[in-house]
Amino acid sequence: MNWSIERKLPLFVTVLLLAVVLALLIIGYGEVRRASRQLANARLQRASQQLAESFQRSLAQYRTQTLAVARDPGVVAFLISRGQHAEAQARAALAHIALDTVSNIAAELWTTDGQLLLRSGRLRSTAAVFPATDSAAVSPLMQFDTILHYQVTATVRDGAQVLGTARHVRRINLNAQARAMLTGLAGGDALLLLGNAAGAPWTDFASVVSAPPATVLQSATPARYERGETKRASAAAVPGSPWMVVVEVPSRLVLAPARAYLRRMMPIAALVVLLGALGGWVGSRRVTAPLREITTAAEAIAAGELDRRVQVTSEDELGRLGRSFNTMAAQVTRALQTTEMRLRSVSETAHDAIIAADADGIIQFWNPGAARMFGYSADEILGQPLTVLMPARFHDAHRTGIRRYVATREAHVVGKTVELAGRRKDGSEFPIELSLGAAPVNGVLSFTGVIRDITERIRSAAALEATNAELESFSYSVSHDLRAPLRAIHGFSRILLEDHNAKLDAEAQRLLGVIDQNTRRMGQLIDDLLAFSRLGRQEITAGRVDMKELTTVVADDIKRAEGERNGKLEIRIGALPPARGDRALLRQVVSNLLQNAVKFTRGRDNARIEVGSRLEGKQTVYYVKDNGAGFDLRYADKLFGVFQRLHRAEDFEGTGVGLAIVKRIVQRHGGRVWAEGKVDEGATFYFTLPFEES
């Protein structure tokens, strides 16, 4: 946003306060929410455990009553006689559990084959359920229509013989009053559920309901689930029975304290943000007023009012800033005046022409160098179009280029140095070198050109080209004229050796051999010298060069040329990154260095040559290392000179031009060469080339 600091600062303070307040609200809400959940979880677990223990105590009482009936002598006698004797005693025992007049409890005696012998109470049970032990067993909850009931069963025995069972049947009263009473025990906003751990039926003590999900029944801690709405529930098993109790409470009630916290804190937070925004606005006004004055003064100075200053009225940081600004403005004014004087001095004393024009190509500035070069005085040329300084054939292209650059900033000449033709006042043309730039001046586009008369340069270049042509002709002539007598000397010496050998004594034969050897060496020297001279004129065709493949090919050619020595010559080629250059010239570099290494290792039985590389910045350093004769490091600077040799020609052949050729090729590729070595300990030759991405 391009707003002022006066607007941005209050906005920043407001946004920062809003972020802090929101963060505090979120953190506080989260803490209250977490605490509410913890309290609800503890309450639910405590309520479910207490209710489970309450049911356990009731069931323990019913089991005790049922066991007492099962062990009563009258009941045992009654079952032994299968109802023929002791009925009064048995009925009296059953009356301890239920009287005949009650409708929600029953006490029964059953035979082992499922025959009901005696009942007290009006509630009827289902088929007999035999306990696994002699203790009384509590059955799962059972449903008949809308009635839920359960039974406590105890085995009646005569010694080891099972006679039947005594059964205590109880109905669970389902009504609103029962649910309200039990809900009060669990807490006024909690709901109590009772049911079988294995599944249906379940009840909330007002009606039969669906069983809670297994995740609630199997969880050791309170769990969330959906039943009409999101609820949080805790389950507990009733010891001594297949029942479970679940105490649940709606999640909205659990989170009510957190929502109440938000309702209370949000107005306070809004007030804090509002006060912060107001304070930020007031502070911004106080801080930005001096800054606005400084900004206005700076803009005035930039517009040319160099005497503009700010009023300093305080001693605080803003006051010190105002005084510093005034000091800086004074220094800038002096610097601008000094710079203007220097620029005027440079433009007036420059030998080159310096010309400035506006976006329409109208000349606005004209230095003395331009007057000397073109012959126009400043009064004659200022306000004239640039086309008066160029031949007519360039006028249309010039106007098109200016319009295109002003409209699109597409530069063909701007920002570059080009060679063109200029036109003097007298109408004569001359070659010029133009460096053109463009930049806004006081919001208006301006072109500035520096023009140099290159008549002498072109004349010198033409003379140099003529000289090179003469040198080329001379090189050819030297090559041809020197080779002819050399071929004659070589031919006649060979004739004498081959046709008149018998007539020559040993000394004459030796001298003719020396003549033959030196003529061949002279021919090789001429070839190398011509190759060296041609390197300065040969065009370089740059491209990607696989140095590994190139070195391998050259090494194979050299080993084949060595003949019998091939088996004793080891050339190891390591990792060689690709380079950028002329493949033919780089092949000559590698060939010359490998041949040099092969030549100076001829005195070694185990000649070893190693080719490798390493990276240095954006260049690759390649090296050729051998274990040959080596050289004295004090004379390393002579290795790459023409005709420079550090060994006798009798020991090692050569013309002293090969390493000079290597140096010239590498330098033309923008690299450098050097060597390291020790006498009789070998030598290493290094050269660098631009790195080429794989």
Side-chain angles (χ1 to χ4, degrees), residues 15-37:
V15 171
L16 182 61
L17 277 175
L18 184 61
V20 171
V21 167
L22 285 177
L24 291 176
L25 281 176
I26 292 172
I27 294 172
Y29 175 76
E31 289 298 317
V32 175
R33 182 187 178 99
R34 183 178 60 81
S36 298
R37 284 178 174 173

Side-chain angles (χ1 to χ4, degrees), residues 229-300:
E229 62 177 325
T230 304
K231 297 179 181 294
R232 183 169 293 273
S234 176
V238 178
S241 74
W243 302 352
M244 293 193 75
V245 293
V246 171
V247 179
E248 67 176 25
V249 66
S251 293
R252 57 181 171 79
L253 297 179
V254 174
L255 301 179
R259 288 194 293 270
Y261 167 82
L262 280 182
R263 287 194 298 271
R264 289 193 303 270
M265 296 302 297
M266 286 184 69
I268 299 174
L271 180 61
V272 170
V273 172
L274 182 60
L275 292 176
L278 181 61
W281 181 79
V282 173
S284 173
R285 294 278 295 178
R286 295 188 61 183
V287 171
T288 57
L291 293 178
R292 186 166 52 251
E293 184 181 357
I294 293 174
T295 302
T296 304
E299 291 173 347

Side-chain angles (χ1 to χ4, degrees), residues 657-685:
V657 181
L659 292 180
I661 291 175
V662 168
K663 180 178 180 180
R664 175 162 289 191
I665 293 175
V666 171
Q667 287 179 338
R668 292 202 64 194
H669 281 77
R672 60 191 180 94
V673 294
W674 71 96
E676 299 174 354
K678 273 189 176 183
V679 177
D680 291 331
E681 294 185 16
T684 305
F685 289 83

